[in-house]
C-alpha cells in the first residue's frame, strides 16, 4: 500500500496540471494511524466532490465496546462520531481555490439521530465488553483548483495535514469528550426503550415532563430557550416509563383510540402534534424533545392539492362521483384537497398492517362480525427505525386538512342530501378505522366540537401546557346535541392492494443511464420526472431522500415484476436493508444515506406521476 509521503509527493507533482489528472490519486494509502481510501475523484472542480473514506483501527480509535454493544448504542455512536468529524473539519479545513474546491465535509444532518452510512464501527465481533472499536468514516473532499488547474500544494496540505488532524480530533476516543459521547449514546438508548414500551402500555405517544416543545422559528429547528414553557403532564394522563440509564421518566401518555388536541390559537396545539410527528425519530441531547416518542408507524396525513393519484381505492371516503368516475381505482394528475387526503390515508393503510387471508374471506362473505374484521397478522421489521407491527397511527392537523373532508355539519346535511354528496367525512370514518383496523388517530381540532362525539381522549393546550378535558368535552357533547346524521355506514371498507406496472417505475425513462437526483428534503428527480415531496413532512433529512431514491431504483431492478404488490415490494426492500445495510442500495461506498421508513418510501413511489397499477 502506498504511504502518506508518496501521496504527498504525487500531489506536488500534479501542481498546475489539468484537473482530470487528479484521477491518478484514486486508491488506498497507509497513513500509519489510519488508512485513507479515495473511492472516487471528481473530473471537474465544479462537479460533485470526490468521495473519501478513512479507516481507523481499534488499537488507534480505542472506542470502548460499552458504547456500541447494542444496535441502539451503535447507531447513536456512529451519529456522534459523524458530528464530531463535521465539527473538526469545519474548524480545520479552509476553502482553497474555486468552486467546491477546498471543502472537507460529511453528510448534512439536523436534530435527529438516524442510522447513516457516514460512519461504521469496526469491532472484533466478540461479547467481551473490554474490547475496543475502530471507525470507518466516509466524507467528501473538494480537491482544490484554480480554474481547472490543479493546486497541488494546497491538495497536499488538505490530504496529508488537515485530514490526519481531523481524524485525530474526532475519531480517536482519547481526544473526545467522553462524558458528552456517553450522554449522546445513553440519550438515544433511553428514547428507544421508551418507544418500545408504548404498545405494552396501550399508548401511541409519550411526552416527557420537562420537554421543551417550541422551536426557535419555522426555519430553525433548535429549541426555543428564552421564555419557553417546560411541558408538564396533566395528572390523569401521567405515566412512568423505565429507562436503562435515567431510570423512571414521567410524562403524558397518549392512549390508543381517537385523541383530540384542542385549545386557542397559538397555545401549542400544532407544536405538540409536530413533536409527536417527529417522535418516530430519536434526537440529540439538548433538543428539548429527546424523550418525546411516538409509535414508529405514526404517519402525518394532510391535504395535498395537485398531487397525482394512481389507482387508489378511495371509495371508503369518496364515492358516486359525477360522470360515474371510478373511485375503487381512482386516477388523477391533479387531486383536490379531499381526494388527496383520502388517498394519503389509504396509501398509509395499504403499506401498513395486513389482514389474515381467512379473516378477509369472512369479511367479504358477510361483511360479518366486527371481531372478525379485527383479525390481523402482526408483522415486525427489525430496521433501524422500527415500525413495530405496522399498524399506522394517523396524525392530522386541521390547519393542513381539507375542511370538506373533515366534517359535514347538520345544517349542510339538511341542505345537500347525502346522495348528492360523494364525500364521506373523516368524522364518520375515524371510529371505524379504530374498530375495524386498530388504527388510532391524533387530531388537532380547534374549530369543530362535533369531534367530541367520537373522541376517546381530549387534551386542551393552554400556553403550551396540557389539560385532560375529556369529561368536560363529553358533558358538552351531551348537553349540546348536534343531531348530526352519521354517513359512514357500518364498516370502514376494504383496504385493497395494488400491483405496480414495471414500465411505469423507470428511473431511466428511455435513457441508457439511471437518473436520480435529490434537492433538500422535498424534491426528487427520478428519470425525467420531478417528484414533489414537500407535503411528506416526516422526511427530515436529505440523506433519507437520497436513500429513498436509491431504494426506488433497487425496488425496480430487484422486485418490480408486475406480480408483487407495492406493499410486498417494500417488504422485500426493507428486509434486504435490514439484513445487509443500506450499502446494498449503491454500487460504491456511499456516505450520504440516512435510514428511512417504509411509509416515506411508499409516499415517493405513489407521487411518481408515471406510476400505473393494476389490482391484486
Amino acid at each position: 500500500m502506498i504511504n502518506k509521503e508518496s501521496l504527498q509527493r504525487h500531489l506536488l507533482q500534479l501542481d498546475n496540471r489539468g484537473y482530470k489528472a487528479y484521477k491518478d490519486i484514486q486508491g488506498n494509502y497507509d497513513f500509519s494511524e489510519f488508512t485513507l481510501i479515495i473511492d472516487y475523484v471528481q473530473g471537474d472542480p465544479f462537479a460533485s466532490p470526490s468521495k473519501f473514506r478513512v479507516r481507523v483501527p481499534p488499537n488507534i480509535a480505542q472506542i470502548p465496546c460499552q458504547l456500541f454493544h447494542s444496535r441502539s448504542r451503535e447507531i447513536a455512536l456512529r451519529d456522534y462520531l459523524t458530528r464530531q468529524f463535521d465539527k473538526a473539519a469545519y474548524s480545520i479545513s479552509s476553502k482553497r481555490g474555486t468552486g467546491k474546491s477546498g471543502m472537507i465535509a460529511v453528510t448534512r444532518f439536523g436534530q435527529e439521530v438516524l442510522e447513516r452510512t457516514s460512519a461504521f464501527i469496526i469491532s472484533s465481533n466478540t461479547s467481551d465488553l473490554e474490547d475496543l472499536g475502530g471507525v470507518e468514516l466516509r466524507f467528501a473532499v473538494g480537491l482544490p483548483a484554480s480554474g481547472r488547474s490543479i493546486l497541488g500544494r494546497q491538495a497536499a496540505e488538505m490530504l496529508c495535514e488537515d485530514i490526519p488532524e481531523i481524524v485525530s480530533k474526532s475519531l480517536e476516543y482519547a481526544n473526545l469528550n467522553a462524558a458528552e459521547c456517553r450522554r449522546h449514546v445513553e440519550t438515544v438508548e433511553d428514547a428507544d426503550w421508551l418507544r418500545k414500551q408504548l404498545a405494552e402500555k396501550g399508548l401511541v405517544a409519550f411526552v416527557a415532563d420537562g420537554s421543551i416543545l417550541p422551536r426557535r422559528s419555522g426555519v430553525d429547528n433548535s429549541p426555543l430557550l428564552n421564555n419557553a414553557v417546560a411541558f408538564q403532564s396533566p395528572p390523569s394522563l401521567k405515566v412512568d416509563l423505565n429507562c436503562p440509564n435515567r431510570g423512571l421518566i414521567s410524562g403524558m401518555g397518549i392512549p390508543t383510540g381517537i385523541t383530540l388536541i384542542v385549545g386557542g390559537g397559538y397555545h401549542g396545539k400544532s407544536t405538540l402534534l409536530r413533536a409527536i410527528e417527529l417522535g418516530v425519530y430519536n434526537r440529540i441531547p439538548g433538543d428539548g424533545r429527546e424523550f418525546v416518542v411516538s409509535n414508529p408507524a405514526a404517519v402525518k396525513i394532510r391535504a395535498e392539492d395537485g398531487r397525482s393519484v394512481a389507482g387508489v381505492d378511495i371509495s371508503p371516503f369518496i364515492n358516486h362521483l359525477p360522470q360515474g368516475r371510478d373511485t375503487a381505482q381512482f386516477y388523477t394528475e391533479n387531486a383536490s384537497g379531499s381526494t388527496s387526503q383520502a388517498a394519503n390515508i389509504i396509501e398509509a393503510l395499504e403499506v401498513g398492517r395486513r389482514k389474515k387471508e381467512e379473516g378477509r374471506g369472512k369479511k367479504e362473505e358477510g361483511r360479518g362480525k366486527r371481531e372478525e374484521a379485527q383479525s390481523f397478522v402482526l408483522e415486525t421489521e427489525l430496521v433501524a427505525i422500527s415500525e413495530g407491527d405496522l399498524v399506522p397511527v394517523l396524525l392530522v392537523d386541521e390547519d393542513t386538512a381539507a375542511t370538506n373532508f373533515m366534517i359535514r355539519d347538520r345544517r349542510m346535511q339538511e341542505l345537500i342530501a347525502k346522495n348528492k354528496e360523494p364525500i364521506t367525512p373523516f368524522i364518520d370514518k375515524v371510529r371505524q378505522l379504530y374498530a375495524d383496523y386498530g388504527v388510532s388517530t391524533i387530531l388537532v381540532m380547534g374549530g369543530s366540537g362535533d369531534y367530541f362525539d367520537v373522541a376517546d381522549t381530549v387534551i386542551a393546550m393552554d400556553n403550551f401546557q396540557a389539560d385532560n378535558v375529556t369529561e368536560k368535552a363529553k358533558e358538552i357533547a351531551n348537553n349540546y346535541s348536534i343531531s348530526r346524521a352519521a354517513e359512514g355506514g357500518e364498516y370502514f371498507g376494504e383496504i385493497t392492494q395494488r400491483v405496480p406496472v414495471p414500465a411505469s417505475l423507470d428511473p431511466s425513462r428511455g435513457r441508457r443511464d439511471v437518473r436520480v437526483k435529490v434537492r433538500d428534503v422535498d424534491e426528487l428527480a427520478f428519470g425525467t420526472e420531478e417528484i414533489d415531496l414537500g407535503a411528506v413532512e416526516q422526511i427530515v433529512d436529505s440523506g433519507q431522500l437520497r436513500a429513498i431514491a436509491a431504494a426506488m431504483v433497487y425496488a425496480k431492478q430487484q422486485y418490480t415484476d408486475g406480480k408483487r404488490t407495492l406493499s410486498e415490494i417494500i417488504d422485500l426492500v426493507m428486509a434486504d436493508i435490514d439484513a445487509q445495510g443500506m450499502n446494498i442500495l449503491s454500487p460504491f461506498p456511499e456516505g450520504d444515506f440516512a435510514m428511512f421508513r417504509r411509509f416515506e418510501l411508499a409516499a415517493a413511489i405513489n407521487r411518481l406521476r408515471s406510476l400505473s397499477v393494476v389490482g391484486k
Side-chain angles (χ1 to χ4, degrees), residues 169-244:
K169 287 189 173 182
S170 63
L171 303 182
E172 294 180 17
Y173 187 72
N175 297 327
L176 296 174
N177 184 325
E180 180 185 76
C181 181
R182 186 174 62 254
R183 181 187 176 211
H184 195 96
V185 168
E186 291 179 351
T187 296
V188 170
E189 183 179 43
D190 282 347
D192 279 335
W193 274 66
L194 293 175
R195 194 174 290 106
K196 289 176 183 177
Q197 295 173 70
L198 293 178
E200 65 186 63
K201 298 288 186 180
L203 305 175
V204 293
F206 173 81
V207 184
D209 290 340
S211 296
I212 302 298
L213 304 185
R215 301 293 94 185
R216 289 187 183 179
S217 72
V219 295
D220 187 347
N221 207 27
S222 56
L224 179 67
L225 299 179
N226 295 330
N227 302 317
V229 179
F231 184 88
Q232 291 296 319
S233 172
S236 56
L237 292 176
K238 188 181 288 289
V239 296
D240 294 326
L241 299 181
N242 189 45
C243 295

Side-chain angles (χ1 to χ4, degrees), residues 524-535:
L524 165 60
F526 189 82
T528 60
E529 292 196 46
E530 301 289 333
I531 304 174
D532 183 0
L533 294 164

Side-chain angles (χ1 to χ4, degrees), residues 481-499:
S481 176
I482 56 175
S483 301
R484 185 183 172 281
E487 298 179 344
E490 188 177 357
Y491 298 104
F492 177 80
E494 288 295 310
I495 308 300
T496 58
Q497 298 291 319
R498 297 171 298 151
V499 176

Side-chain angles (χ1 to χ4, degrees), residues 19 45-46 95-102 142-148 151:
Y19 198 87
F46 300 94
K95 295 285 287 184
R96 298 176 172 91
T98 57
K100 298 177 181 178
S101 66
L143 294 168
S146 176
R148 285 181 166 79
L151 294 176

Side-chain angles (χ1 to χ4, degrees), residues 496-527:
T496 58
Q497 298 291 319
R498 297 171 298 151
V499 176
V501 176
S504 71
L505 188 65
D506 185 1
S508 65
R509 302 298 293 160
R511 302 181 181 186
R512 178 176 298 179
D513 298 325
V514 168
R515 177 180 177 266
V516 292
K517 188 175 182 180
V518 166
R519 184 174 69 84
D520 201 21
V521 297
D522 57 8
E523 190 172 298
L524 165 60
F526 189 82

